[in-house]
Amino acid sequence: MTLTESNPIPSFEENLKFFQAFPIDLQRIYPRSFCSRNGLFYGMIRTGAGKKLAVIGEKEALLKDPFEGKIFNQASSLKLCDLSRGNTLSLMALFPFTRPVPVLKEAMTIGTGDRLGLATPGHIRSVRKFQVRPVFAQQSVRENGQTGRNFNEVIADAAWSVFQENYREGYGADGDHLKSMEEINQALDSGVSMITLDLSEKLSLEAYLLPGEAIGRRFDEEIERGDAEVFLHLYLDKEFSFRGPRGDLSIRFSEEEVKRNLLLFHRAIDFSEEVYEFLSRRSGRKPLIDFEISIDEIPFPTSPATHLFLMIALRHRGVRIDSLAPRFIGEFQKGIDYRGEIPAFREQFYQHVLIAQHYGNYKLSIHSGSDKFTVFPHIGEITRGKIHLKTAGTSWLEAVRLIAQTNPSLYREMHLQALSAFGEASKHYQVTTDLSSIPQIETLSDPELPDLLNLEGARQLLHITYGFLLRSKLREKIFATLTQYEEDYATLLETHIVKHLDSLRARRRQ
Ligand SMILES: [Zn+2]
C-alpha cells in the first residue's frame, strides 16, 4: 500500500494484504471507514480482541498522532487503538462529523436508539436513502440502567459507527426522558446534542383528577396569588383559534379548566423554565442544543386543550422548545402497531399539529414510534414530514430475529428466560400482552422460530424483557452472535427502518 495523500483510499485487497502482514488476528475490515488525514491513514478493523482503530503511516508520525495504541513496525507502521473514551475524544477532534450536533430543526428527524451499541451501522444505511436527519444516540436513564451503559458509552458507540460507515451528514444524541438536573448534567457532560425533559414527576395528577367542587379550594391553597392572577388573565375570556387546511380549531377555557390545568402543571412549568434558563446560561443566550419536552408517560392522553394550556404557559415564561411529545389517544404500546380508532387519532393529531405550528412551529415527537404502520401515513401526510419519530425497541427485536435465524438454540434460551422475567418486566410498561397467544416453544421447529417475531404477543414479551436478557448469563452469547452476523444485522435493520420511513412518507433521495 502506498501511503501518500494522492492515494487516498486503499482498495480492500491492498488493505487485506497490508494487515495480514501483521500478527493481529484480523477478522474484518470496514472498507468505508478508510481515509487519510495529515499524511496518515485511518480505518476500522475487527481483530480477535474487538473493534479497533488502525492508524497507518511513518513511525515518527504515528508517535505524534493523538490516538493511544500499540504500534507494530514493518515497512509501514501500524498503530492499533482501542475505542476508549480518550480515543473517542480524539476521534471527535480529528473527524468532527463524528460529534453529535443538533438536528431537530431539519424537516424530518428520526431517533433510532441503539441499545446494543451494534445497531447504528444498519440505521445509517437506512437514513442515507432519505431526506431525513438521524438521532443515532438516544437513550433514557432507564434504558441505560437496563443495558448497563452510560451516556458516554452510548455516544461513543454512535461516533465510532458513524466513522466506520463514513456518515458525514451529522447526527444527534438525545438524553431521553431526563427527569432531574442531575440527569441533565450527566447527559450534557457526555456531549448530548438534545435534551428530552420528562415532566411526569413534576405533574400533580392527583390534583388534576379532583372533583369540580374541590378544585377551587385546592387552587387557593397551592397557587400563589400573583401566579394565579397572571394565569387566569392569560386564559380566561379568550378564544384561541387556529386555521388550517383540514379545518379550524377553537378552544376556550372555563375557570375550572384553567385551575385544574394549572394545578396539574405548575411545578412542571417552573421546572421547565429552570431547565431552559440553565441550558441558555450554559451555551450563552439561546440553548445550542435541541430541547424537547415530553408528557407522553402520564396515565391519560393529552387533549389539544391541555397541550395548548402548557404551551401558552411555557411561552409566557420565555421557554422555547424544538419538540413536544404528548401522549396521543389510542395506544402506542411497545414494538407493535397502533391500537385505536384511526379517524379519531387523525382528527386529534391534526389539532395538535395546528397548535404546534402556531406556538413556535415546534415538532410533535412520536415516542414509542416503533412499528406504528397504520398511523404513519396519516402522520406523514398531516405534518408534511415535519416530525420527530423515536424508535428503539424495534431494533432490538430485529436483533432477536437475527438470533432466531442464525442461532436457534440461543433463541430458545432467551425465550424461556424472557418468559420467566415477564411478570417483573411488565410492571414497568403499558402492555396488554397475552402470553397464551404465544405458541409453546417446544412445539416449534428451528425454522419456525423467526416467525415468532411477527406475533404481537411474542414481540412484546421479547421487547419488554430486553434488560433482563442483556443482564443475564446469556449476554455474552447474544453479543457474540450479533457480532458474528453483523452484516446481516445491518441488512435487517436497513430494511426495517426503511419500512418505517417509507410508511411515514419520508422523501427518498434521488
Ligand atoms: Zn417517551
Side-chain angles (χ1 to χ4, degrees):
M1 175 158 55
T2 324
L3 294 168
T4 61
E5 294 265 355
S6 58
N7 176 22
I9 309 293
S11 72
F12 182 77
E13 288 71 27
E14 283 177 306
N15 258 336
L16 193 60
K17 225 169 100 200
F18 174 80
F19 285 114
Q20 280 174 343
F22 291 94
I24 56 169
D25 186 17
L26 179 71
Q27 293 188 346
R28 192 183 295 266
I29 293 172
Y30 299 92
R32 288 197 186 96
S33 61
F34 280 81
C35 59
S36 63
R37 274 294 141 93
N38 311 328
L40 292 171
F41 279 102
Y42 296 86
M44 301 269 288
I45 61 170
R46 179 183 291 287
T47 73
K51 271 188 195 175
K52 307 278 177 192
L53 173 72
V55 191
I56 303 159
E58 301 289 332
K59 192 179 166 200
E60 290 69 37
L62 285 185
L63 290 170
K64 283 186 220 143
D65 171 78
F67 293 96
E68 284 177 19
K70 185 175 178 208
I71 295 181
F72 301 81
N73 292 310
Q74 304 234 352
S76 306
S77 295
L78 164 68
K79 181 161 64 171
L80 272 197
C81 312
D82 292 335
L83 312 188
S84 63
R85 172 82 178 145
N87 283 341
T88 304
L89 296 175
S90 296
L91 181 82
M92 290 181 179
L94 192 60
F95 301 98
F97 64 88
T98 62
R99 197 185 298 149
V101 289
V103 296
L104 241 58
K105 298 212 168 38
E106 309 286 331
M108 187 181 284
T109 43
I110 179 168
T112 53
D114 176 1
R115 289 177 177 161
L116 299 161
L118 300 172
T120 300
H123 294 152
I124 290 174
R125 293 176 201 185
S126 57
V127 298
R128 272 192 204 277
K129 297 188 164 162
F130 294 87
Q131 295 182 28
V132 302
R133 293 294 286 281
V135 177
F136 292 135
Q138 167 201 279
Q139 298 286 284
S140 64
V141 174
R142 181 177 68 193
E143 279 176 304
N144 280 340
Q146 294 286 318
T147 56
R149 297 160 85 204
N150 59 44
F151 288 121
N152 282 342
E153 291 164 330
V154 169
I155 292 175
D157 286 335
W160 288 105
S161 300
V162 160
F163 182 72
Q164 176 191 309
E165 297 293 313
N166 192 26
Y167 181 78
R168 297 184 176 229
E169 292 170 48
Y171 74 97
D174 180 4
D176 201 6
H177 281 286
L178 305 180
K179 296 180 178 176
S180 67
M181 277 304 203
E182 194 193 336
E183 292 178 357
I184 290 168
N185 268 312
Q186 256 179 39
L188 289 172
D189 289 344
S190 300
V192 295
S193 61
M194 171 172 176
I195 292 287
T196 297
L197 179 63
D198 180 328
L199 295 180
S200 52
E201 283 177 6
K202 306 287 180 188
L203 299 177
S204 305
L205 296 169
E206 170 270 322
Y208 183 75
L209 298 170
L210 285 172
E213 62 275 15
I215 286 286
R217 194 173 61 240
R218 183 67 170 267
F219 184 83
D220 294 339
E221 285 166 10
E222 218 169 286
I223 309 293
E224 279 179 42
R225 178 169 293 193
D227 266 357
E229 276 173 17
V230 168
F231 276 102
L232 288 167
H233 178 74
L234 273 179
Y235 297 96
L236 282 187
D237 306 318
K238 286 185 186 153
E239 179 158 352
F240 299 92
S241 304
F242 305 88
R243 292 176 171 276
R246 292 179 177 77
D248 301 338
L249 167 68
S250 177
I251 295 174
R252 281 179 159 278
F253 293 95
S254 69
E255 187 170 332
E256 187 190 312
E257 283 166 336
V258 176
K259 291 182 171 175
R260 198 179 281 283
N261 275 303
L262 194 58
L263 282 170
L264 175 66
F265 280 125
H266 73 102
R267 286 188 302 137
I269 293 165
D270 289 346
F271 183 51
S272 304
E273 184 183 7
E274 183 190 340
V275 169
Y276 185 80
E277 284 186 352
F278 171 75
L279 295 176
S280 305
R281 270 202 310 281
R282 209 175 138 121
S283 55
R285 270 179 68 80
K286 265 171 88 188
L288 296 176
I289 61 166
D290 290 320
F291 185 43
E292 172 166 315
I293 283 187
S294 81
I295 48 171
D296 64 304
E297 293 195 354
I298 58 174
F300 47 83
T302 314
S303 68
T306 303
H307 171 180
L308 175 64
F309 183 94
L310 177 62
M311 288 317 300
I312 290 174
L314 290 178
R315 277 187 80 82
H316 177 71
R317 296 283 184 90
V319 176
R320 299 288 184 270
I321 62 172
D322 297 293
S323 51
L324 176 78
R327 173 160 174 198
F328 298 105
I329 51 166
E331 288 177 52
F332 278 68
Q333 292 192 25
K334 302 284 180 187
I336 61 170
D337 207 338
Y338 177 74
R339 288 191 180 160
E341 300 291 328
I342 303 283
F345 172 83
R346 203 183 140 88
E347 163 91 16
Q348 221 184 72
F349 185 80
Y350 168 65
Q351 296 176 348
H352 284 300
V353 170
L354 281 183
I355 295 167
Q357 285 172 344
H358 197 87
Y359 276 86
N361 207 20
Y362 49 89
K363 283 179 174 173
L364 291 176
S365 178
I366 318 280
H367 286 209
S368 303
S370 296
D371 308 285
K372 303 298 179 287
F373 294 108
T374 58
V375 289
F376 284 155
H378 301 284
I379 290 171
E381 181 199 328
I382 291 169
T383 59
R384 281 193 263 135
K386 188 180 165 70
I387 192 79
H388 184 58
L389 181 77
K390 291 196 189 188
T391 72
T394 205
S395 294
W396 156 250
L397 289 176
E398 290 305 294
V400 180
R401 185 191 301 278
L402 180 71
I403 291 169
Q405 289 168 353
T406 58
N407 190 346
S409 68
L410 174 57
Y411 176 80
R412 287 177 192 275
E413 285 185 86
M414 290 168 66
H415 190 97
L416 295 176
Q417 183 98 23
L419 283 172
S420 68
F422 180 78
E424 185 59 30
S426 61
K427 289 179 191 160
H428 308 284
Y429 289 95
Q430 293 165 353
V431 288
T432 52
T433 314
D434 176 11
L435 289 185
S436 69
S437 72
I438 305 171
Q440 296 288 321
I441 191 159
E442 308 79 47
T443 67
L444 299 177
S445 68
D446 285 352
E448 289 173 314
L449 296 178
D451 290 337
L452 285 169
L453 274 298
N454 301 329
L455 297 178
E456 289 199 345
R459 286 184 74 77
Q460 290 196 313
L461 165 69
L462 292 157
H463 185 297
I464 68 170
T465 53
Y466 73 93
F468 291 86
L469 292 170
L470 289 175
R471 282 176 281 132
S472 77
K473 63 177 180 6
L474 301 177
R475 178 187 177 89
E476 272 183 37
K477 286 195 217 169
I478 292 172
F479 276 90
T481 300
L482 294 173
T483 301
Q484 185 184 348
Y485 294 97
E486 66 182 308
E487 271 302 311
D488 303 271
Y489 187 37
T491 304
L492 274 182
L493 284 176
E494 179 181 344
T495 308
H496 194 58
I497 300 298
V498 162
K499 190 175 160 199
H500 280 70
L501 291 168
D502 270 334
S503 178
L504 268 172
R505 303 188 173 182
R507 271 203 248 151
R508 289 263 185 173
R509 272 173 207 254
Q510 297 309 314

mmCIF file of all heavy atoms in Angstrom, residues 94-109:
data_model
loop_
_atom_site.group_PDB
_atom_site.id
_atom_site.type_symbol
_atom_site.label_atom_id
_atom_site.label_comp_id
_atom_site.label_asym_id
_atom_site.label_seq_id
_atom_site.Cartn_x
_atom_site.Cartn_y
_atom_site.Cartn_z
ATOM 1 N N LEU A 94 -10.475 15.049 15.574
ATOM 2 C CA LEU A 94 -9.856 14.927 14.248
ATOM 3 C C LEU A 94 -10.904 14.804 13.139
ATOM 4 O O LEU A 94 -10.706 15.291 12.028
ATOM 5 C CB LEU A 94 -8.931 13.703 14.231
ATOM 6 C CG LEU A 94 -7.991 13.574 13.041
ATOM 7 C CD1 LEU A 94 -7.055 14.785 12.958
ATOM 8 C CD2 LEU A 94 -7.159 12.294 13.146
ATOM 9 N N PHE A 95 -12.036 14.172 13.472
ATOM 10 C CA PHE A 95 -13.104 13.977 12.488
ATOM 11 C C PHE A 95 -14.401 14.554 13.068
ATOM 12 O O PHE A 95 -15.209 13.815 13.635
ATOM 13 C CB PHE A 95 -13.272 12.488 12.167
ATOM 14 C CG PHE A 95 -12.035 11.848 11.612
ATOM 15 C CD1 PHE A 95 -11.183 11.121 12.425
ATOM 16 C CD2 PHE A 95 -11.709 11.990 10.266
ATOM 17 C CE1 PHE A 95 -10.031 10.538 11.917
ATOM 18 C CE2 PHE A 95 -10.559 11.404 9.747
ATOM 19 C CZ PHE A 95 -9.716 10.688 10.574
ATOM 20 N N PRO A 96 -14.601 15.854 12.915
ATOM 21 C CA PRO A 96 -15.732 16.500 13.601
ATOM 22 C C PRO A 96 -17.109 15.933 13.217
ATOM 23 O O PRO A 96 -18.057 16.070 13.974
ATOM 24 C CB PRO A 96 -15.613 17.967 13.171
ATOM 25 C CG PRO A 96 -14.178 18.142 12.808
ATOM 26 C CD PRO A 96 -13.739 16.825 12.237
ATOM 27 N N PHE A 97 -17.206 15.265 12.079
ATOM 28 C CA PHE A 97 -18.517 14.703 11.730
ATOM 29 C C PHE A 97 -18.923 13.560 12.653
ATOM 30 O O PHE A 97 -20.065 13.106 12.609
ATOM 31 C CB PHE A 97 -18.533 14.233 10.263
ATOM 32 C CG PHE A 97 -17.596 13.099 9.948
ATOM 33 C CD1 PHE A 97 -18.001 11.778 10.094
ATOM 34 C CD2 PHE A 97 -16.308 13.354 9.493
ATOM 35 C CE1 PHE A 97 -17.138 10.720 9.795
ATOM 36 C CE2 PHE A 97 -15.441 12.302 9.194
ATOM 37 C CZ PHE A 97 -15.854 10.991 9.350
ATOM 38 N N THR A 98 -18.009 13.099 13.500
ATOM 39 C CA THR A 98 -18.379 12.031 14.440
ATOM 40 C C THR A 98 -18.954 12.578 15.754
ATOM 41 O O THR A 98 -19.318 11.801 16.636
ATOM 42 C CB THR A 98 -17.163 11.140 14.776
ATOM 43 O OG1 THR A 98 -16.162 11.939 15.417
ATOM 44 C CG2 THR A 98 -16.570 10.503 13.524
ATOM 45 N N ARG A 99 -19.013 13.901 15.856
ATOM 46 C CA ARG A 99 -19.504 14.525 17.091
ATOM 47 C C ARG A 99 -21.013 14.823 16.933
ATOM 48 O O ARG A 99 -21.412 15.303 15.874
ATOM 49 C CB ARG A 99 -18.739 15.836 17.284
ATOM 50 C CG ARG A 99 -18.804 16.416 18.648
ATOM 51 C CD ARG A 99 -18.114 17.777 18.682
ATOM 52 N NE ARG A 99 -16.685 17.724 18.349
ATOM 53 C CZ ARG A 99 -16.023 18.717 17.747
ATOM 54 N NH1 ARG A 99 -16.638 19.825 17.395
ATOM 55 N NH2 ARG A 99 -14.728 18.598 17.490
ATOM 56 N N PRO A 100 -21.838 14.548 17.945
ATOM 57 C CA PRO A 100 -23.278 14.832 17.807
ATOM 58 C C PRO A 100 -23.553 16.322 17.649
ATOM 59 O O PRO A 100 -22.870 17.152 18.263
ATOM 60 C CB PRO A 100 -23.880 14.338 19.122
ATOM 61 C CG PRO A 100 -22.833 13.550 19.805
ATOM 62 C CD PRO A 100 -21.509 13.962 19.254
ATOM 63 N N VAL A 101 -24.539 16.649 16.836
ATOM 64 C CA VAL A 101 -24.933 18.045 16.621
ATOM 65 C C VAL A 101 -26.461 18.147 16.677
ATOM 66 O O VAL A 101 -27.146 17.155 16.432
ATOM 67 C CB VAL A 101 -24.448 18.574 15.252
ATOM 68 C CG1 VAL A 101 -22.944 18.751 15.234
ATOM 69 C CG2 VAL A 101 -24.890 17.657 14.110
ATOM 70 N N PRO A 102 -26.990 19.340 16.981
ATOM 71 C CA PRO A 102 -28.460 19.486 16.961
ATOM 72 C C PRO A 102 -28.982 19.257 15.548
ATOM 73 O O PRO A 102 -28.385 19.739 14.583
ATOM 74 C CB PRO A 102 -28.675 20.945 17.385
ATOM 75 C CG PRO A 102 -27.397 21.380 18.019
ATOM 76 C CD PRO A 102 -26.314 20.577 17.378
ATOM 77 N N VAL A 103 -30.052 18.518 15.422
ATOM 78 C CA VAL A 103 -30.610 18.237 14.092
ATOM 79 C C VAL A 103 -32.106 18.510 14.001
ATOM 80 O O VAL A 103 -32.675 18.475 12.911
ATOM 81 C CB VAL A 103 -30.371 16.757 13.672
ATOM 82 C CG1 VAL A 103 -28.885 16.461 13.534
ATOM 83 C CG2 VAL A 103 -31.010 15.786 14.657
ATOM 84 N N LEU A 104 -32.746 18.801 15.138
ATOM 85 C CA LEU A 104 -34.205 18.820 15.137
ATOM 86 C C LEU A 104 -34.828 19.905 14.261
ATOM 87 O O LEU A 104 -35.994 19.812 13.891
ATOM 88 C CB LEU A 104 -34.739 18.940 16.570
ATOM 89 C CG LEU A 104 -35.610 17.765 16.996
ATOM 90 C CD1 LEU A 104 -34.872 16.453 16.898
ATOM 91 C CD2 LEU A 104 -36.153 17.957 18.378
ATOM 92 N N LYS A 105 -34.043 20.929 13.942
ATOM 93 C CA LYS A 105 -34.617 21.987 13.109
ATOM 94 C C LYS A 105 -34.786 21.537 11.659
ATOM 95 O O LYS A 105 -35.497 22.155 10.894
ATOM 96 C CB LYS A 105 -33.765 23.245 13.194
ATOM 97 C CG LYS A 105 -33.729 23.801 14.622
ATOM 98 C CD LYS A 105 -33.608 25.289 14.701
ATOM 99 C CE LYS A 105 -33.870 25.813 16.116
ATOM 100 N NZ LYS A 105 -33.342 24.959 17.214
ATOM 101 N N GLU A 106 -34.111 20.459 11.285
ATOM 102 C CA GLU A 106 -34.313 19.895 9.946
ATOM 103 C C GLU A 106 -35.714 19.297 9.876
ATOM 104 O O GLU A 106 -36.297 18.955 10.891
ATOM 105 C CB GLU A 106 -33.290 18.778 9.687
ATOM 106 C CG GLU A 106 -31.866 19.159 9.962
ATOM 107 C CD GLU A 106 -31.296 20.076 8.896
ATOM 108 O OE1 GLU A 106 -31.751 19.988 7.746
ATOM 109 O OE2 GLU A 106 -30.403 20.876 9.231
ATOM 110 N N ALA A 107 -36.197 19.123 8.629
ATOM 111 C CA ALA A 107 -37.584 18.683 8.475
ATOM 112 C C ALA A 107 -37.864 17.368 9.211
ATOM 113 O O ALA A 107 -38.235 17.370 10.377
ATOM 114 C CB ALA A 107 -37.921 18.560 7.001
ATOM 115 N N MET A 108 -37.646 16.244 8.572
ATOM 116 C CA MET A 108 -37.975 15.002 9.258
ATOM 117 C C MET A 108 -36.752 14.473 9.994
ATOM 118 O O MET A 108 -35.663 14.437 9.450
ATOM 119 C CB MET A 108 -38.496 13.958 8.280
ATOM 120 C CG MET A 108 -39.021 12.711 8.988
ATOM 121 S SD MET A 108 -39.621 11.414 7.876
ATOM 122 C CE MET A 108 -41.195 12.070 7.364
ATOM 123 N N THR A 109 -36.973 14.073 11.237
ATOM 124 C CA THR A 109 -35.871 13.512 12.023
ATOM 125 C C THR A 109 -36.350 12.208 12.658
ATOM 126 O O THR A 109 -37.528 12.060 12.979
ATOM 127 C CB THR A 109 -35.398 14.486 13.116
ATOM 128 O OG1 THR A 109 -36.536 15.083 13.751
ATOM 129 C CG2 THR A 109 -34.527 15.594 12.531
#
